[in-house]
Amino acid sequence: MKILHVLSTMDPATGGACQAIRNTVPALEKLGVQNEVVTLDDPEAVFLTKDSFMIHAVGPAKGPWQYGSKLKSWLGDNLNRFDVVIIHGLWLYYSHAAEAAVRRFKKLSGGSGKTGYPKLYCMPHGMLDPYFQRAPDRKLKAIRNWIYWKLIEHRVVNNADGLLFTCEAELLLAREPFRPYHPKLELNVGLGIEQPPPYTPSMKEAFYTTCPELRDQRFILFLSRIHEKKGTDLLIQAYGKIFGESFPKLVVAGPGLDTPYGKKIRQLATQDEVLKKNILFPGMLSGDAKWGAFYHCDAFILPSHQENFGIAVVEALACNKPVLISNQVNIWREIQAEGAGLVADNTEEGTRKLLSAWRDLSPSDKHEMGNKARRTFEKLYAIGPAAKHLMDTLQKNKTI
């Protein structure tokens, strides 16, 4: 089987879809599945040189729609080499271009009675979540999305041979916001991540290079984009109300500090001298520094307003770290059922309860929750079983 993955960018700062591809493709390759990726990145982008699989960059994309004039022609010239095309994400030019290219390829192949064309799947990665249509600060964007759905995006969803979801909650939520919504298949294929690299002292040193104040200090880790959706403001405010001398410091790591929202978060954390000394903003962490943060934190926290899967959540589980998450992280039910973390509402009060509940656990309870975190990763989110499930699902649905 040969799969083409289509998305806007492989820039690691965007997380989400591109990180899912980086986790999944090597595991699929081990199963004998060939993979290539086509994006609208600038071919000169440095991050494109760091992956072991083939990436075709046909950008750079232009404008808010991320239009790329070369994508359709590249697809037209290359679709015949693939058994499966997977569109990762929605709402930008590439999803429309891929659906239109496959539809044209089918027509030129003689219609749906032929089998000499690739099957088309779309993996929304949470982009059909009703949050984006209901959030109070997204009213204009919700109207824009509804119009775009009626004009273009419903064709991508309804004309694809199926939708691929990362968890059952995502599948069910995707049915709510838009009409007409009648995908041919809804498939919960799950998602997994690679085993984290084994701990080495260099990870500790790399992390402490970014946060020297934390050497020999306990801390709770937030590692994600600094964005309204992630509930970072809730975390800062809740931390300010619960912080005490015996409470760990807080590390807020991730890209986005230079945005208006990021600057607001920094301001929140500097209004009080005590918080200023105990909340650290190292920026985006990668490589050894990132894994050093995971391995040395007491727990991971993400009070998100909407999280389709939460790759960073699963990375924390894999490092034996309990996760403190909101009930808007779509895998919260599984984590709660396995005893791998704590769950509360995506409000300031809910976030405060997460922190206080964690504070009140005994050391032995925290240690046992860390052990359960690792077992949960191995049981539900290891990349090997997840990749095999994806491959088996595609084969079962006659994609080869």
Side-chain angles (χ1 to χ4, degrees):
M1 185 193 300
K2 192 168 186 178
I3 300 175
L4 175 65
H5 304 267
V6 185
L7 74 164
S8 180
T9 180
M10 286 294 288
D11 185 348
T14 64
C18 71
Q19 188 57 48
I21 288 174
R22 287 190 168 97
N23 284 322
T24 303
V25 164
L28 287 172
E29 297 277 355
K30 290 178 181 178
L31 296 171
V33 178
Q34 300 178 59
N35 298 265
E36 294 181 24
V37 176
V38 61
T39 80
L40 290 171
D41 288 308
D42 185 328
E44 301 300 318
V46 175
F47 55 79
L48 294 175
T49 64
K50 299 181 179 181
D51 294 294
S52 60
F53 48 88
M54 177 68 70
I55 301 176
H56 305 276
V58 296
K62 296 180 180 180
W65 195 33
Q66 296 290 284
Y67 174 75
S69 60
K70 299 177 182 178
L71 180 58
K72 273 190 180 179
S73 60
W74 188 94
L75 290 168
D77 292 339
N78 289 275
L79 283 177
N80 63 315
R81 299 192 293 111
F82 298 95
D83 304 298
V84 180
V85 175
I86 301 177
I87 299 169
H88 292 267
L90 294 165
W91 305 115
L92 296 175
Y93 170 72
Y94 68 93
S95 61
H96 158 70
E99 186 277 327
V102 172
R103 180 158 34 91
R104 175 175 170 77
F105 193 88
K106 287 181 180 182
K107 185 176 181 180
L108 294 176
S109 298
S112 59
K114 301 285 185 179
T115 58
Y117 52 81
K119 291 292 183 107
L120 177 67
Y121 288 85
C122 177
M123 197 165 191
H125 292 280
M127 295 183 189
L128 291 175
D129 195 293
Y131 163 82
F132 298 107
Q133 293 302 103
R134 297 173 184 170
D137 60 342
R138 291 183 53 88
K139 290 181 179 179
L140 290 178
K141 291 180 180 179
I143 294 171
R144 176 203 64 189
N145 285 354
W146 183 256
I147 294 171
Y148 188 77
W149 174 269
K150 289 292 188 181
L151 293 175
I152 295 176
E153 205 71 290
H154 75 277
R155 293 190 184 91
V156 176
V157 169
N158 296 328
N159 289 350
D161 292 291
L163 300 187
L164 307 177
F165 295 100
T166 61
C167 60
E168 187 68 15
E170 183 197 3
L171 185 155
L172 296 174
L173 288 168
R175 297 172 179 174
E176 297 182 18
F178 297 105
R179 298 291 182 273
Y181 179 81
H182 45 79
K184 296 174 183 176
L185 283 174
E186 296 171 299
L187 302 167
N188 176 12
V189 295
L191 192 64
I193 69 165
E194 293 182 334
Q195 293 277 352
Y199 174 75
T200 63
S202 63
M203 294 175 180
K204 177 180 179 180
E205 292 308 312
F207 173 63
Y208 285 147
T209 297
T210 67
C211 296
E213 310 95 319
L214 284 177
R215 191 173 291 273
D216 300 321
Q217 297 284 318
R218 295 167 50 231
F219 65 94
I220 290 177
L221 176 66
F222 170 100
L223 192 152
S224 190
R225 283 186 301 136
I226 313 301
H227 188 276
E228 292 93 334
K229 191 188 82 163
K230 304 293 184 175
T232 323
D233 54 330
L234 305 179
L235 176 57
I236 301 297
Q237 291 161 351
Y239 183 80
K241 291 181 178 178
I242 198 174
F243 177 78
E245 288 186 6
S246 62
F247 202 76
K249 294 180 184 293
L250 174 64
V251 173
V252 178
L257 286 172
D258 56 346
T259 66
Y261 179 76
K263 293 174 182 176
K264 170 188 170 184
I265 294 303
R266 291 294 295 265
Q267 186 177 10
L268 273 176
T270 55
Q271 288 177 347
D272 181 283
E273 282 300 316
V274 175
L275 294 185
K276 187 177 180 179
K277 293 178 181 178
N278 289 284
I279 302 178
L280 292 87
F281 296 91
M284 182 175 174
L285 299 177
S286 60
D288 278 358
K290 168 186 155 181
W291 293 113
F294 274 123
Y295 278 118
H296 282 277
C297 71
D298 280 16
F300 177 86
I301 188 164
L302 185 63
S304 189
H305 296 299
Q306 188 278 329
E307 202 70 35
N308 174 55
F309 181 77
I311 289 176
V313 175
V314 177
E315 288 176 331
L317 296 175
C319 293
N320 292 70
K321 299 302 176 179
V323 294
L324 318 179
I325 57 175
S326 77
N327 55 10
Q328 300 305 306
V329 177
N330 280 349
I331 58 174
W332 72 267
R333 291 179 180 85
E334 291 88 343
I335 287 171
Q336 187 176 68
E338 298 293 332
L342 303 174
V343 180
D345 292 338
N346 61 318
T347 62
E348 182 183 332
E349 177 61 17
T351 308
R352 187 194 65 78
K353 288 180 178 178
L354 279 178
L355 292 169
S356 60
W358 172 254
R359 177 196 61 194
D360 295 341
L361 288 176
S362 69
S364 61
D365 286 341
K366 291 177 180 178
H367 180 75
E368 180 57 25
M369 191 176 286
N371 290 336
K372 289 179 178 178
R374 175 64 191 186
R375 290 197 292 269
T376 300
F377 163 72
E378 293 172 347
K379 177 180 176 181
L380 300 177
Y381 305 120
I383 189 59
K388 188 174 189 308
H389 180 50
L390 172 60
M391 182 186 73
D392 291 345
T393 300
L394 295 176
Q395 289 177 330
K396 180 181 178 181
N397 287 281
K398 303 186 189 313
T399 60
I400 60 173

